[in-house]
Amino acid sequence: MSYPVTYYCPHCGAVVELEREGYLADKSVTPYPLAGWEYAEPDEDFEATDGVRFVCGEGGDEVDALRWTGERSDADDVEDPTAKSPCGRPFYLSFVRFVDGEEGEPRPEATHTTIAGGGPSQPRGTDGPSGPGGPSGFGG
């Protein structure tokens, strides 16, 4: 049996209602896709994927299971409550998914750092005075 469930755009707060099966558990709604998750459009078989990709304000006329309510959420995590609503930006509903009986977590995006230039070929010594007196200038 399907139920109407409401979500709001994390960019502008526009509220959307999606008709979906009750066995699906929500993980999160984010302005970006979770790494490793597969998303379907609201008019596709999203129950067979890891979530739904919405475009704020779009698809309500073409998709029976989707309705933009015209309401706006004032939740604290709305990126810009003063932005035009609906904003036309994508956002993502992610379902809880299980891997070998355990709840799967998104894997972080890989980040690679490139250090520019060759750098010194060996460490530099101290900048103090050299000699038998040491850096303080006094001999012992």
Side-chain angles (χ1 to χ4, degrees):
M1 179 168 196
S2 63
Y3 301 91
V5 182
T6 58
Y7 305 97
Y8 62 89
C9 172
H11 301 291
C12 71
V15 177
V16 64
E17 182 179 274
L18 180 67
E19 195 72 34
R20 55 158 244 215
E21 294 299 319
Y23 71 87
L24 294 168
D26 296 344
K27 183 169 191 65
S28 62
V29 175
T30 56
Y32 51 84
L34 299 181
W37 257 239
E38 291 183 30
Y39 296 90
E41 299 298 319
D43 62 344
E44 297 175 343
D45 182 18
F46 59 81
E47 294 173 14
T49 64
D50 300 320
V52 181
R53 178 186 182 270
F54 297 100
V55 176
C56 185
E58 294 181 8
D61 296 334
E62 302 87 33
V63 181
D64 290 336
L66 183 71
R67 181 177 77 85
W68 292 93
T69 67
E71 298 172 22
R72 186 175 183 151
S73 174
D74 60 355
D76 290 340
D77 60 343
V78 171
E79 186 178 283
D80 185 0
T82 64
K84 179 183 146 201
S85 179
C87 65
R89 295 173 62 186
F91 66 98
Y92 301 83
L93 163 63
S94 301
F95 299 129
V96 172
R97 71 177 185 183
F98 293 91
V99 178
D100 298 327
E102 298 286 324
E103 183 177 336
E105 292 296 324
R107 62 180 187 269
E109 288 288 335
T111 57
H112 300 280
T113 303
T114 302
I115 299 175
S121 60
Q122 60 186 6
R124 292 187 301 179
T126 62
D127 291 336
S130 60
S136 65
F138 298 100

